[in-house]
Amino acid sequence: MWSRVPACTILTLLSIAACGGGGDDAPATTSAGGAGAASAGKAGAGSAGKAGAGGAGKAGAGGAGKAGAGLGGSAGAHSGGGVGGGASGAGAGGSAGTPSAGSAGTPSAGSAGAPSGGKGGSAGTPSGGKGGSTTGGSAGASSGGSAGASSGGSAGAGSCVAQSFVASLGKSRLLVGASMTDATAAGAPFDARYLYLAGGLGPGCSSCDDAQCDPGPWWGCWQSKSDPPGQYIKGFVSRAKADGQIPWITYYEILQSSQGAEGPAEVDAIAQPALAARFFDDLRFLFQTIGQETAIVHVEPDFWGYVVQKGPDPHAMPVPVPTANAADCAGEEASVAGLGRCIVKMARKHAPNVKIALHFSPWVPKYDIVTNTMASVDPATEAKKLVTYMSELGALDGDLVAVDISDRDAGYDQSKGQDTWLDASNQQLPTYHQALAWSKALAEASGKAVVWWQLPVGNEALPNQPKKWKDNKVDYFFAHPDEFAAAHVAGVLFGAGDGDQTTPETDGGNLVAKTKALASAPPALCP
């Protein structure tokens, strides 16, 4: 089966640029590096991204990686990378840390680490992609109605889950956000900004002066070592709030901390009592660090997709939830289903103003619903199946549905022999209308608003070179925001999928300009 896997699978603080650097949300780097660079990444001999028919995955940083044979030969896609590039020296004194010296001041928030895996597709790309002229049309007429009570309720034709969701965040329009630097965030009326936490679970130290934590991969000390653990996140939340933006934190730690194979093996890894206890302790510390602030926490992208791939019954997959986290979840089931429910319960207890999301992956069937080219596939049917399964994991006890559709610029994939363009004219599959139909059906089956996360930033005016790749996703969204609103999409977050991709700082000002224009005439969330 297809799989996408978060990029920068193993974060190293030393090679942060390879994980999508350039922003100022990164830790102060040090000479020590981080967790296991040699084992990073999906392997595949020579070709980046998710293996299409006969293709190979992206080779990891210095290691052979995994071929993913148990998933039908698919390798890596958006591996949940590390934080973005260098820290800003503002705030705590000291210069922005270089790789071998210099302590950084409180880092200013910026581009979140970009996952480095790659999304593939079929080989043999067209010379110019499928940009085409964009046409209107409302999304997903075929996406169907509600999935019934068994899938967690229905959004229904008359309800507007996106509007109620953004209102709960103090907003009133379709949200636009990105992984970006402070300067970019201040340059346009963005509604949200995101970053990654990845690289390893906390070692249990109370001071960043502790040898276990400084230097090291733990996010709790991604700041000057004179600051207490967690200041990195507090600073990010504070800066986002000052700019009128919602902080979005993607928490991706199981794979890096398990040091095992990527894929369903991650589900086996979290069944280990010691790892499960560390996971809960670290996640609890994140929620406690956020405290009463408003934020969105997006937990373990891809992991839940691997749960679906592993088997039909998540209640039969052991995780020692009640013993590993007796403080919060003593009454939960000792299974991966109990794990999902416990995560939501922890958010409610320790960070009551956090909106919590598990991730709904489009690649859990035997094909990727976003890049599907078979007219016989019904996006609504696949969405309802996924919602039914995710409801068993407690995902519908959360606040929103987080999805991704691609994490590499199409021009980058094209340079690697992969065709991942979506047809902006909606004439030939894969199309935006297919992706929107799937997204709409997710919302209507779950009763939750959908946020599209980590869309590529490229545009067709760029020259197709590193950090300046072509794509049409930014331009399609801003040309058709009404289609997204009609599909119950509450927001779209743009960001680089690895350090070679286009960013809001390298796109020629396209994202900033279009964000300004949309803010002056936002679409109705209940069309």
Side-chain angles (χ1 to χ4, degrees):
M1 285 187 253
W2 296 121
S3 70
R4 276 192 224 157
V5 219
C8 277
T9 344
I10 305 296
L11 168 67
T12 67
L13 301 186
L14 209 90
S15 55
I16 199 77
C19 299
D24 38 9
D25 267 340
T29 55
T30 73
S31 58
S39 61
K42 292 296 243 186
S47 132
K50 179 168 69 179
K58 180 174 176 65
K66 313 300 174 196
L71 303 177
S74 80
H78 77 77
S79 247
V83 292
S88 138
S95 59
T98 65
S100 61
S103 67
T106 303
S108 36
S111 113
S116 74
K119 172 177 176 294
S122 58
T125 92
S127 58
K130 295 176 188 165
S133 59
T134 57
T135 61
S138 96
S142 66
S143 63
S146 74
S150 65
S151 63
S154 162
S159 65
C160 187
V161 290
Q163 185 174 61
S164 59
F165 175 72
V166 301
S168 73
L169 294 165
K171 300 287 185 178
S172 60
R173 65 190 185 195
L174 181 61
L175 307 177
V176 178
S179 166
M180 54 194 160
T181 64
D182 285 344
T184 301
F190 288 102
D191 302 293
R193 63 191 303 183
Y194 78 87
L195 58 69
Y196 264 103
L197 297 183
L201 296 169
C205 48
S206 59
S207 168
C208 293
D209 260 330
D210 191 312
Q212 294 184 83
C213 292
D214 181 50
W218 182 44
W219 62 267
C221 288
W222 285 352
Q223 72 257 337
S224 171
K225 67 180 182 180
S226 63
D227 291 328
Q231 184 58 43
Y232 172 70
I233 284 299
K234 288 184 177 181
F236 171 71
V237 171
S238 177
R239 286 185 295 276
K241 184 178 178 180
D243 287 336
Q245 294 158 2
I246 301 156
W248 172 297
I249 298 162
T250 294
Y251 184 89
Y252 177 74
E253 294 285 2
I254 292 175
L255 175 61
Q256 291 88 338
S257 299
S258 70
Q259 300 181 350
E262 192 164 15
E266 294 175 47
V267 186
D268 297 328
I270 198 63
Q272 300 167 13
L275 181 61
R278 289 179 61 210
F279 174 85
F280 286 126
D281 287 347
D282 195 66
L283 186 60
R284 183 187 305 109
F285 180 65
L286 172 62
F287 288 137
Q288 290 172 340
T289 299
I290 295 169
Q292 299 296 315
E293 298 289 353
T294 297
I296 298 172
V297 176
H298 169 218
V299 181
E300 294 293 337
D302 295 329
F303 174 81
W304 310 105
Y306 294 136
V307 171
V308 179
Q309 288 184 332
K310 186 172 175 64
D313 184 6
H315 301 280
M317 302 175 196
V319 178
V321 175
T323 53
N325 189 8
D328 300 312
C329 299
E332 291 296 336
E333 182 178 275
S335 70
V336 75
L339 171 66
R341 295 177 186 279
C342 180
I343 288 168
V344 176
K345 181 178 287 188
M346 292 172 70
R348 303 290 187 241
K349 177 179 178 180
H350 299 292
N353 295 318
V354 154
K355 305 298 181 185
I356 190 76
L358 306 188
H359 192 85
F360 287 58
S361 295
W363 41 260
V364 293
K366 56 188 175 183
Y367 35 73
D368 189 323
I369 195 65
V370 173
T371 57
N372 166 63
T373 59
M374 298 179 289
S376 60
V377 173
D378 178 23
T381 297
E382 298 305 325
K384 292 172 186 176
K385 290 177 185 176
L386 182 56
V387 168
T388 297
Y389 194 107
M390 293 295 292
S391 70
E392 295 301 310
L393 298 172
L396 304 193
D397 295 334
D399 300 292
L400 68 152
V401 170
V403 304
D404 66 316
I405 66 164
S406 177
D407 71 345
R408 293 291 184 279
D409 293 306
Y412 170 86
D413 282 342
Q414 186 172 317
S415 76
K416 303 296 182 183
Q418 307 284 337
D419 180 6
T420 58
W421 287 89
L422 299 187
D423 181 10
S425 69
N426 290 304
Q427 299 300 307
Q428 178 181 347
L429 291 172
T431 65
Y432 284 93
H433 283 180
Q434 173 176 255
L436 285 162
W438 176 74
S439 177
K440 181 178 182 181
L442 286 176
E444 293 185 348
S446 67
K448 306 290 181 183
V450 177
V451 173
W452 286 29
W453 166 78
Q454 195 166 266
L455 268 71
V457 186
N459 64 76
E460 297 207 65
L462 295 175
N464 258 355
Q465 63 189 41
K467 302 184 186 299
K468 296 184 178 183
W469 300 102
K470 294 182 184 292
D471 207 318
N472 59 16
K473 294 179 181 67
V474 170
D475 292 338
Y476 189 90
F477 166 71
F478 284 101
H480 305 284
D482 55 320
E483 293 185 8
F484 287 77
H488 309 294
V489 174
V492 176
L493 304 180
F494 296 94
D498 76 359
D500 200 30
Q501 305 308 303
T502 312
T503 72
E505 292 72 45
T506 65
D507 75 339
N510 187 54
L511 180 62
V512 165
K514 284 183 162 57
T515 298
K516 289 178 178 178
L518 185 66
S520 67
L525 275 171
C526 295

